Amino acid sequence: MVSVQQWTGREASALRSALRMSTRAFAEHLGVALRTVAKWESLGAETQPRPDTQAILDTALARADSAAHSRFEALLFPERRSARPADYETWTEDIERAVVCVSRQNFPFAATLLNRWLGSHDPHRLDDKGLYLYGRSLVLLGDLQRDQGAILGPLSARHSYLTARGMFSELDIPRRVAQIELSLAVVLEMSGQLEVSARQYELLAADERLSPRDRARARLWVGTALSKEGNNEYATNAMTAATRAFEDLGEPEDWSVAHQKLALAHRGAGDLKQALHYIDIARTTGTVDSPMQRVRLDTAYGHILLSDAATRNDGLSVLDQAAQVARQYGLSHQLRSIEGIRKDQQG
């Protein structure tokens, strides 16, 4: 809320305009003479109301509604106009809609919703609430870029996450900072830095800034990174611990995903029987509401089938279906993973 230390005709005129009153109505509202208001309008900053009138103006400003306060600030400080978005509620609604769009891989519409705000506001001119919404929008943009496979460079998930982390650090919101650090570890894993990402996951799995669910996810992803390195025994132990945690927390979807990861770890260790056992659990309990979930599950299943000569053709067919969906929704990273599996098989 804007306050005025010393009223002049300029601030008084701005208050009249913000209240959307005529000079006569404003005079009656304050209980002052019409000629006094006319003087403020004509002389502006060169005249100052008397002390008793200063108090009257203070009261009138304090009793004004939030919309009038916003107009008053915009009139006094036009250079700050971009510092307070006209409608934070609309921005919040667009963020919520973008969350749904990203979860369903509707990337074009999600990008439109987010860039509507990111492109029209300078974060250096935003108040704390605006900066919070800007940071949330950047995190969602990072999620979108990550799912599309844009993980490094100036227009990448890493860049968006780092910028958002700086904002939430400035706002002193440690939970949001830790969540972004978890997303940055995912980017490290996707870029092939498996040992570094595994160490980061290990630290975050015990980080009290994160929720129990996020800490369990970090524990699961320790196993994911290490299984790609071929350290399947430790990876399996980490994934099993995460699976138990998801069961205790009552998180069925995460529990199902953990079985998918366990299946791949057993495939890497050469135990196809256990791999098929765990992937069957994942396929029968997991939901495939989004293209990303469907592609990941089919890719894992196809990879396991491809590892056995007796089911090789079935595996290729499942991978073809997964690649088709990945291509349709612009899931570039998933598509590269499928192509990598095919090349390994051919090799």
Side-chain angles (χ1 to χ4, degrees):
M1 181 181 295
V2 178
S3 61
V4 178
Q5 299 300 317
Q6 181 69 41
W7 288 90
T8 69
R10 175 175 175 268
E11 288 78 24
S13 296
L15 179 58
R16 179 192 67 76
S17 297
L19 293 172
R20 293 179 173 169
M21 292 182 177
S22 65
T23 53
R24 185 176 299 278
F26 189 53
E28 293 174 356
H29 180 68
L30 299 179
V32 301
L34 178 58
R35 63 178 178 275
T36 300
V37 176
K39 179 182 177 182
W40 295 340
E41 296 285 336
S42 61
L43 295 180
E46 296 179 5
T47 183
Q48 293 183 0
R50 294 178 304 181
D52 58 335
T53 309
Q54 295 264 341
I56 292 172
L57 289 164
D58 285 337
T59 301
L61 177 60
R63 291 178 176 174
D65 62 24
S66 59
H69 274 279
S70 296
R71 291 192 292 269
F72 180 65
E73 182 179 2
L75 287 166
L76 287 182
F77 308 106
E79 71 280 3
R80 295 186 192 173
R81 189 174 297 273
S82 64
R84 291 182 64 88
D87 193 347
Y88 283 149
E89 185 175 347
T90 301
W91 195 347
T92 302
E93 290 173 353
D94 278 353
I95 286 174
E96 292 171 352
R97 294 164 70 195
V99 168
V100 175
C101 289
V102 171
S103 71
R104 295 175 179 173
Q105 287 73 64
N106 186 353
F107 298 135
F109 190 47
T112 298
L113 290 171
L114 297 172
N115 289 325
R116 169 185 177 184
W117 301 98
L118 294 174
S120 61
H121 293 291
D122 181 354
H124 298 97
R125 294 186 176 183
L126 292 171
D127 60 15
D128 284 356
K129 185 173 182 180
L131 196 62
Y132 175 81
L133 294 174
Y134 198 98
R136 283 200 62 195
S137 299
L138 271 178
V139 170
L140 276 173
L141 181 64
D143 293 344
L144 183 156
Q145 292 164 327
R146 183 191 64 199
D147 287 351
Q148 289 185 306
I151 55 176
L152 300 174
L155 299 176
S156 69
R158 183 176 184 275
H159 183 269
S160 296
Y161 288 146
L162 287 173
T163 306
R165 185 178 66 176
M167 292 178 177
F168 287 122
S169 296
E170 180 182 337
L171 292 169
D172 192 24
I173 307 178
R175 180 176 62 89
R176 291 286 184 185
V177 173
Q179 288 173 336
I180 293 172
E181 289 172 358
L182 187 56
S183 294
L184 284 167
V186 173
V187 168
L188 284 173
E189 181 187 342
M190 291 175 68
S191 63
Q193 299 182 58
L194 301 177
E195 288 188 15
V196 178
S197 63
R199 287 197 298 269
Q200 188 65 20
Y201 288 142
E202 195 85 59
L203 292 172
L204 290 167
D207 195 322
E208 292 296 327
R209 295 175 300 170
L210 291 171
S211 68
R213 183 188 185 191
D214 280 337
R215 292 200 298 272
R217 284 177 166 177
R219 174 61 58 193
L220 176 66
W221 295 340
V222 170
T224 302
L226 292 178
S227 67
K228 293 178 182 177
E229 281 276 88
N231 190 349
N232 294 298
E233 182 177 357
Y234 189 92
T236 300
N237 290 335
M239 291 178 182
T240 301
T243 305
R244 293 196 188 104
F246 290 136
E247 185 168 2
D248 292 341
L249 291 168
E251 296 290 348
E253 184 57 36
D254 289 319
W255 183 85
S256 177
V257 170
H259 280 80
Q260 174 191 320
K261 303 296 186 184
L262 276 167
L264 289 173
H266 282 291
R267 189 215 68 83
D271 189 345
L272 295 183
K273 182 178 179 180
Q274 282 292 85
L276 286 169
H277 169 70
Y278 283 113
I279 199 64
D280 282 344
I281 293 175
R283 295 179 69 220
T284 55
T285 61
T287 60
V288 286
D289 293 337
S290 74
M292 176 71 81
Q293 291 169 319
R294 187 160 66 251
V295 168
R296 285 175 173 167
L297 192 56
D298 284 349
T299 300
Y301 183 46
H303 197 179
I304 293 167
L305 292 176
L306 205 62
S307 303
D308 188 338
T311 56
R312 183 177 183 277
N313 289 336
D314 291 336
L316 289 172
S317 178
V318 172
L319 287 179
D320 285 343
Q321 294 172 10
Q324 183 177 353
V325 176
R327 196 175 294 110
Q328 178 183 350
Y329 287 91
L331 304 176
S332 301
H333 181 75
Q334 300 300 319
L335 192 58
R336 286 196 293 270
S337 295
I338 293 168
E339 292 171 352
I341 292 170
R342 283 173 171 161
K343 288 179 181 179
D344 287 343
Q345 177 63 28
Q346 291 171 355

